[in-house]
Amino acid sequence: MFCCRHLFFIFLLLGSCTSTSIITVDEPLSDGHDNVLVSSGESFVLGFFSPGNSSRRYVGIWYNKVSEQTVVWVANRNNPITNNSGVLSLDKTGNLVLFDSQKPDVVVWSTNVSSLSSFGESNYSAELLDTGNLVVHNSKNKGFVWQSFDFPTDTLLPDMKFGVDRRSGLNRFLTSWKSSDNPEAGSYSYMIDINGSVPQLFLYKDKDPFWRGGSWNGLRWTGVPELRSNFIFKVSYVDNAEEVSIVYGMLNASIISRMVLNESTGTIQRSTWHPGDHRWDNFWSAPQDQCDYFSHCGVYGDCSLYNSGEYECKCLPGFEPKSPRDWYLRDGSQGCVQKQNSQLCRNGEGFVQLAEVKLPDTTKTKLDMNLGNKACAELCLKNCSCTGYSGADVRGGGFSGCITWYDKLVDLREYSRGGQDFYIRVDAVELAKNTKKSKRIQGYVKVLVPVLLSAVIFVLFALAYWLITKRKKALRRKEGMMWFQNDTNKRGISVHGSSMEEEVDEIETSNVDVKFYTLSTIIDATENFSLANKVGEGGFGSVYKGKLRNGQEIAVKRLSNTSGQGIEEFRNEVTLIAKLQHRNLVRLFGYCIQREEKMLIYEYLPNKGLDCFLFDKEKKSVLDWKKRFDITLGIARGMVYLHHDSRLRIIHRDLKASNVLLDLNLNPKISDFGMARIFGNNQVEETTRRVVGTYGYMSPEYAMEGLFSIKSDVFSFGVMLLEIITGRKNSSYQSENFINMIGHVWDLWGESNALEIVDPALGNTHEYDSEILRCIHIALLCVQESAAARPSMSEVVFMLCNEISLQPPGQAAFLLRTANRGLTNTSSGSVGGVSVNDYTISTVEGR
Ligand SMILES: *[C@@H]1O[C@H](CO)[C@@H](O)[C@H](O)[C@H]1NC(C)=O
Ligand SMILES: *[C@@H]1O[C@H](CO)[C@@H](O)[C@H](O)[C@H]1NC(C)=O
Ligand SMILES: *[C@@H]1O[C@H](CO)[C@@H](O)[C@H](O)[C@H]1NC(C)=O
Ligand SMILES: *[C@@H]1O[C@H](CO)[C@@H](O)[C@H](O)[C@H]1NC(C)=O
Ligand SMILES: *[C@@H]1O[C@H](CO)[C@@H](O)[C@H](O)[C@H]1NC(C)=O
Ligand SMILES: *[C@@H]1O[C@H](CO)[C@@H](O)[C@H](O)[C@H]1NC(C)=O
Ligand SMILES: *[C@@H]1O[C@H](CO)[C@@H](O)[C@H](O)[C@H]1NC(C)=O
Ligand SMILES: *[C@@H]1O[C@H](CO)[C@@H](O)[C@H](O)[C@H]1NC(C)=O
């Protein structure tokens, strides 16, 4: 006993004041006294820590230069030490051993490598490398006898191998923490599954597939189309007899980036540390939308979120809904069945091409790397149980390698871009239906080809000359890099500083239908901007209804005050914004520029804004609770698309009820997005300042510090959700001696009386009480004072659609707490510079 105590004190003495990166047999690392290992480049630290509010002690590795302790690896995740008496030592056999000095005989955790004796008597040391890898090496042998990178926890670091070593069977995969207090393995795991003929990336929840990244197609995972050429990191994927692995290497070592599996959101996130703002920024996560959830539309279903069609779920060609009733209620989980009387075996069957899709689950497939498209089709036709085929490698835009499916087709979805071609087996009837269509296209092509070809050749020459002279440098940099898609313009991603913006690619104007309208067309359509045709006055100018000669109705937004921007810049931004297409966004058709006059041409929606329904005594009865819920979900989905799914990252900045238009079926469509891009940021701020009614939707960080992020949009969404539930304008509360709407709801929530706020016009809503309460809860999460605590829009969609338990909302933001200091109009005040106490608000209505 004495001996042990004695030893312990020696440990303490030796351990104190260490600033080394090495543990040796003689120098263990003991808990306490700020004893840590620091890697040689000072990027990472290894030591004892207590996660969150827990008092338990763990050995872990965290960033040295990240102000918020971010643990990237835990040794004893399942076996904590209860008090500060842990010691991590290196024994003579080269194994790291963690024990409690009060119970030195019990091994808490060990690297447990048994084959080390073959090195004979040698000097071992454990070293924390600057990559964040804890390694054990010996003096005789190069290489590592053990490394922590082989046993990841929830974090994938740059240069860390992810995947399976086929020789040893070692599988390096991520598992989430149970909670922020408990690093034990939680319910999610993220790994490469090598069971099928093609390795696939999977996110599992409790062993069930939750999201599928799919197979690697030479360029990217089929389920991650946004992975594109990139100047942030390079990806190396290896699939050979020895291993299947992927490694992300940073191109700029000073950018701190990680991939982490998050238990609370159920997502795999890639985030980057912003040293200036002291926060992690998630710039990519999966799953992102409904269609991402594994087999969302069931077997033989096709999930398509982006098409403007009515349903998310469609059946693949030749199939029909198994349970039509559920299907039309938007529950696609039962999937589809083969249409009756279809003959798929030696009866004139063939293939229909599905373009831009995520390939179905490849678990039951065969792979032959030596076949091309034609041979692949033949192979599939020969075997009547073959349901479809596709190419395995799409590099160079080609088709090489052949994957054939022999089972139900599961988890296929469409992308607006970046998908792959899949060929599905259909019977003769279905084939005829589809080939007719493509023949028509072919005829068209025959006429156009010669004309286009000569035009293209000319353009190519001009372009080539221009590229060679001007873009040499930029092009060289791009080679061999991968990028989370933002292919047209890199300003959308917030990971990097402005220095990278200079390397913006050419604006890609091809294959987007952005029309240029002449002024005379618009004058004609709007009857010279007649007052009778004026349908609104918005923050950015007046809106006119118009009718083109061909009968199409349009909405013309005549922009005021656009002098700040050049024509070219304007055109480029419009082109980018017009590419954003989603069922819950108003479509931008084109633009018109003439001298100082700039106009945006939108699709025309006969119904007015959500505000006109919600806040109108008579019209609001049209919106029963179910409708209001659908509208909420639609808005949220539109916002997810703007924030995460589209190729640009769009922050709306002015989300409010009057900026949500309703179509004939009362489906919500968000308008006025992308204004920050079209106008430049300053002008949007100015405009929102002018429209003082908008203040009620502003997050505190924006109103007080001028800070804007996607979380500010989330705040505005929360305010709007409360308005949808209460049927009242947020500004209407101040006149009744409430602090404001948020404060009022917050107080009632605290008293468990939140249902009192529900719009009386909804009548008896008993059967929906739990859903309404849930929505109030979500709204309160969105309007939290702390921007970081607010959920992302994709989390909001998830929470709306799933009855998962929600975190209690934190302190809500009472933007108008100081409102009693005087209600004056701030139309000329500067938002950026006002202090909290000076902050005043007007109840003047926006539009
Ligand atoms: C940790 O404790 C603090 C203070 O008691 C509390 O505010 C916070 O919510 C706790 N965090 C967690 C994750 O339990
Ligand atoms: C350490 O924990 C053990 C139980 O695991 C307890 O018996 C002991 O008193 C604790 N020591 C201190 C100093 O807290
Ligand atoms: C070490 O490995 C052996 C066999 O592989 C296993 O029985 C033992 O439980 C492991 N010990 C620890 C501490 O993980
Ligand atoms: C271990 O290291 C010491 C000092 O570095 C050296 O003198 C000794 O020869 C080494 N022993 C072996 C077996 O390599
Ligand atoms: C692969 O197959 C084996 C044996 O059938 C199974 O135990 C394992 O869970 C599978 N792996 C994955 C990732 O599904
Ligand atoms: C790397 O990133 C840092 C910080 O973002 C930046 O200051 C530096 O210029 C970058 N270096 C290169 C070579 O791009
Ligand atoms: C998980 O996501 C939540 C919300 O985005 C965030 O607060 C939390 O820090 C994340 N956890 C990890 C381990 O990154
Ligand atoms: C068709 O493929 C399945 C699955 O690989 C196989 O079991 C079956 O034997 C094949 N049938 C023929 C006729 O080749």
Side-chain angles (χ1 to χ4, degrees):
M1 191 66 193
F2 168 77
C3 169
C4 295
R5 283 259 164 82
H6 189 65
L7 256 179
F8 177 54
F9 284 122
I10 292 175
F11 288 161
L12 276 183
L13 276 175
L14 286 168
S16 60
C17 308
T18 41
S19 180
T20 163
S21 62
I22 292 176
I23 296 178
T24 61
V25 176
D26 300 326
E27 286 181 83
L29 182 78
S30 49
D31 196 356
H33 299 268
D34 297 327
N35 289 344
V36 289
L37 297 189
V38 180
S39 64
S40 57
E42 304 201 331
S43 298
F44 288 93
V45 175
L46 178 141
F48 288 83
F49 73 102
S50 297
N53 283 350
S54 163
S55 60
R56 297 158 163 218
R57 304 295 285 170
Y58 296 86
V59 169
I61 297 174
W62 57 91
Y63 290 97
N64 190 28
K65 292 171 187 163
V66 168
S67 54
E68 156 190 336
Q69 188 183 52
T70 307
V71 175
V72 298
W73 182 76
V74 185
N76 53 326
R77 67 188 303 189
N78 299 320
N79 238 351
I81 296 173
T82 44
N83 45 34
N84 297 19
S85 43
V87 175
L88 180 64
S89 70
L90 188 64
D91 71 13
K92 288 223 164 61
T93 66
N95 275 305
L96 279 168
V97 179
L98 176 65
F99 59 92
D100 184 340
S101 58
Q102 294 177 347
K103 288 176 255 171
D105 302 335
V106 184
V107 173
V108 173
W109 172 85
S110 150
T111 53
N112 209 14
V113 188
S114 53
S115 59
L116 292 184
S117 47
S118 60
F119 292 121
E121 190 62 27
S122 58
N123 289 342
Y124 288 100
S125 60
E127 181 177 4
L128 179 62
L129 302 182
D130 212 39
T131 51
N133 194 5
L134 175 66
V135 301
V136 177
H137 34 191
N138 72 34
S139 53
K140 286 186 179 166
N141 196 315
K142 283 189 188 148
F144 308 138
V145 295
W146 181 89
Q147 58 176 337
S148 64
F149 270 15
D150 280 342
F151 305 91
T153 51
D154 68 339
T155 305
L156 187 70
L157 292 172
D159 299 327
M160 186 161 163
K161 227 176 226 183
F162 178 78
V164 183
D165 187 323
R166 291 192 201 259
R167 295 157 303 183
S168 66
L170 176 71
N171 189 1
R172 308 176 200 87
F173 63 97
L174 306 185
T175 37
S176 55
W177 284 24
K178 257 205 172 110
S179 72
S180 57
D181 292 339
N182 185 354
E184 234 178 294
S187 39
Y188 294 93
S189 52
Y190 181 64
M191 66 180 81
I192 296 179
D193 174 1
I194 57 166
N195 278 352
S197 66
V198 191
Q200 290 195 101
L201 184 66
F202 266 104
L203 175 58
Y204 291 95
K205 182 180 182 186
D206 299 326
K207 310 269 176 269
D208 294 325
F210 187 64
W211 172 70
R212 190 176 60 92
S215 47
W216 183 262
N217 64 20
L219 292 175
R220 56 185 166 236
W221 301 106
T222 180
V224 191
E226 60 272 35
L227 189 75
R228 300 272 299 196
S229 279
N230 177 345
F231 47 81
I232 292 189
F233 50 81
K234 57 178 187 293
V235 182
S236 357
Y237 177 80
V238 174
D239 178 6
N240 57 27
E242 295 177 353
E243 62 177 341
V244 179
S245 71
I246 190 160
V247 175
Y248 299 87
M250 300 305 292
L251 293 174
N252 181 339
S254 58
I255 293 179
I256 298 180
S257 173
R258 67 183 176 143
M259 205 123 111
V260 58
L261 186 54
N262 192 316
E263 176 83 14
S264 65
T265 58
T267 54
I268 175 81
Q269 307 172 325
R270 176 169 278 285
S271 55
T272 302
W273 177 251
H274 283 231
D277 312 348
H278 303 285
R279 65 183 173 82
W280 287 100
D281 178 49
N282 288 335
F283 70 92
W284 175 80
S285 68
Q288 299 188 333
D289 61 39
Q290 294 294 305
C291 287
D292 270 347
Y293 296 111
F294 185 76
S295 190
H296 182 65
C297 292
V299 296
Y300 299 114
D302 170 6
C303 195
S304 131
L305 197 69
Y306 303 111
N307 285 8
S308 50
E310 279 291 291
Y311 299 103
E312 261 167 32
C313 290
K314 303 192 284 202
C315 286
L316 291 172
F319 292 83
E320 59 195 8
K322 179 166 184 207
S323 158
R325 206 175 136 265
D326 293 336
W327 194 263
Y328 293 114
L329 288 173
R330 289 237 189 153
D331 174 3
S333 55
Q334 300 243 28
C336 304
V337 290
Q338 208 153 70
K339 283 183 184 159
Q340 274 175 3
N341 307 323
S342 49
Q343 305 275 336
L344 280 166
C345 197
R346 313 222 154 76
N347 229 313
E349 70 269 17
F351 297 96
V352 168
Q353 175 188 7
L354 306 175
E356 303 279 6
V357 301
K358 167 173 167 180
L359 297 182
D361 191 349
T362 56
T363 304
K364 297 215 173 123
T365 55
K366 283 185 191 161
L367 175 68
D368 186 335
M369 283 314 288
N370 299 317
L371 301 182
N373 193 336
K374 194 145 171 272
C376 194
E378 276 163 13
L379 176 72
C380 186
L381 268 188
K382 256 192 255 160
N383 187 330
C384 286
S385 43
C386 177
T387 47
Y389 75 93
S390 87
D393 191 332
V394 302
R395 271 177 290 190
F399 183 112
S400 72
C402 166
I403 309 178
T404 42
W405 274 257
Y406 295 92
D407 198 6
K408 297 188 174 84
L409 301 172
V410 184
D411 197 36
L412 182 145
R413 68 165 293 178
E414 291 178 15
Y415 291 115
S416 51
R417 176 161 185 174
Q420 272 173 266
D421 292 341
F422 177 70
Y423 299 85
I424 183 172
R425 186 193 200 109
V426 294
D427 69 0
V429 180
E430 200 73 28
L431 191 63
K433 248 198 259 170
N434 284 275
T435 39
K436 231 188 278 162
K437 272 187 226 154
S438 51
K439 269 208 186 108
R440 219 178 303 138
I441 295 168
Q442 272 169 13
Y444 195 50
V445 168
K446 260 178 208 153
V447 182
L448 273 177
V449 158
V451 180
L452 280 179
L453 213 60
S454 42
V456 164
I457 288 171
F458 175 76
V459 170
L460 276 182
F461 268 105
L463 199 70
Y465 176 75
W466 185 64
L467 281 179
I468 288 164
T469 51
K470 289 201 169 180
R471 310 285 298 181
K472 255 184 195 161
K473 210 174 84 197
L475 283 175
R476 217 181 300 126
R477 277 181 166 249
K478 276 181 58 191
E479 269 167 30
M481 304 169 181
M482 302 292 289
W483 172 241
F484 276 105
Q485 176 179 7
N486 185 276
D487 46 347
T488 51
N489 183 324
K490 275 145 194 166
R491 270 172 284 176
I493 296 264
S494 53
V495 199
H496 41 78
S498 55
S499 64
M500 288 181 177
E501 284 174 18
E502 262 101 75
E503 285 157 38
V504 168
D505 283 358
E506 293 77 62
I507 304 302
E508 201 182 41
T509 41
S510 58
N511 72 39
V512 188
D513 224 13
V514 188
K515 291 205 186 76
F516 171 78
Y517 296 82
T518 61
L519 186 61
S520 60
T521 310
I522 302 299
I523 288 178
D524 194 38
T526 60
E527 293 165 332
N528 197 15
F529 301 106
S530 74
L531 219 52
N533 278 329
K534 186 164 168 173
V535 290
E537 177 80 49
F540 304 96
S542 314
V543 185
Y544 296 86
K545 177 186 172 180
K547 197 168 193 177
L548 297 176
R549 283 260 165 84
N550 66 12
Q552 179 165 41
E553 293 189 309
I554 51 172
V556 178
K557 183 158 238 171
R558 196 178 189 181
L559 303 175
S560 53
N561 200 9
T562 60
S563 52
Q565 194 171 29
I567 288 177
E568 205 46 39
E569 216 178 333
F570 178 78
R571 204 202 317 267
N572 288 341
E573 292 300 347
V574 172
T575 307
L576 289 173
I577 301 300
K579 283 187 186 174
L580 303 177
Q581 289 186 26
H582 186 266
R583 140 163 81 78
N584 297 115
L585 300 182
V586 175
R587 268 207 68 181
L588 177 60
F589 290 147
Y591 61 98
C592 167
I593 311 179
Q594 202 105 351
R595 290 185 298 273
E596 285 297 280
E597 189 90 65
K598 291 188 189 133
M599 281 171 269
L600 296 174
I601 319 301
Y602 287 100
E603 74 176 299
Y604 177 75
L605 296 170
N607 279 332
K608 287 195 171 174
L610 175 59
D611 55 330
C612 298
F613 284 83
L614 214 47
F615 308 140
D616 183 283
K617 277 206 183 82
E618 264 127 49
K619 274 198 192 157
K620 68 163 48 171
S621 60
V622 180
L623 304 180
D624 60 12
W625 172 250
K626 263 192 84 58
K627 202 70 224 169
R628 289 191 198 193
F629 183 81
D630 288 345
I631 288 174
T632 306
L633 193 55
I635 300 170
R637 284 184 173 148
M639 291 308 296
V640 170
Y641 178 75
L642 287 179
H643 283 178
H644 301 290
D645 299 343
S646 69
R647 69 203 86 222
L648 309 163
R649 175 181 241 184
I650 298 280
I651 302 179
H652 191 298
R653 287 168 174 259
D654 197 16
L655 184 63
K656 55 183 171 179
S658 59
N659 271 341
V660 174
L661 306 181
L662 298 179
D663 70 6
L664 273 178
N665 301 319
L666 301 179
N667 296 314
K669 287 176 180 255
I670 300 168
S671 76
D672 263 7
F673 53 88
M675 282 300 173
R677 302 185 66 99
I678 290 176
F679 273 92
N681 296 342
N682 295 342
Q683 230 158 356
V684 171
E685 266 149 37
E686 202 152 303
T687 313
T688 21
R689 269 207 294 279
R690 231 172 326 114
V691 184
V692 282
T694 316
Y695 271 135
Y697 294 90
M698 265 187 203
S699 61
E701 71 272 13
Y702 183 42
M704 292 169 193
E705 294 159 61
L707 293 177
F708 221 105
S709 70
I710 53 173
K711 293 299 181 70
S712 327
D713 276 351
V714 173
F715 183 93
S716 310
F717 175 84
V719 173
M720 190 157 64
L721 177 48
L722 290 178
E723 288 180 335
I724 290 172
I725 296 165
T726 59
R728 290 181 55 174
K729 256 194 167 78
N730 67 70
S731 54
S732 72
Y733 280 83
Q734 282 136 267
S735 45
E736 289 179 30
N737 285 334
F738 298 122
I739 311 169
N740 63 23
M741 180 169 70
I742 297 175
H744 182 54
V745 176
W746 175 252
D747 289 344
L748 287 175
W749 177 265
E751 296 158 13
S752 303
N753 286 330
L755 283 171
E756 274 181 29
I757 64 159
V758 176
D759 189 352
L762 285 174
N764 183 357
T765 55
H766 263 321
E767 62 175 311
Y768 297 116
D769 274 358
S770 70
E771 193 172 79
I772 296 177
L773 263 180
R774 189 172 180 78
C775 285
I776 298 176
H777 192 155
I778 293 169
L780 285 174
L781 289 173
C782 293
V783 299
Q784 290 175 98
E785 178 89 38
S786 151
R790 291 173 214 149
S792 68
M793 285 311 302
S794 43
E795 286 161 356
V796 168
V797 169
F798 189 72
M799 292 189 284
L800 286 169
C801 296
N802 296 280
E803 298 197 352
I804 45 161
S805 62
L806 305 179
Q807 288 178 339
Q811 175 66 50
F814 304 129
L815 190 54
L816 315 178
R817 246 247 145 117
T818 56
N820 54 357
R821 288 173 190 267
L823 294 172
T824 50
N825 194 315
T826 56
S827 53
S828 60
S830 145
V831 167
V834 292
S835 74
V836 181
N837 285 347
D838 292 340
Y839 189 74
T840 52
I841 191 74
S842 161
T843 53
V844 174
E845 284 173 14
R847 300 210 207 164

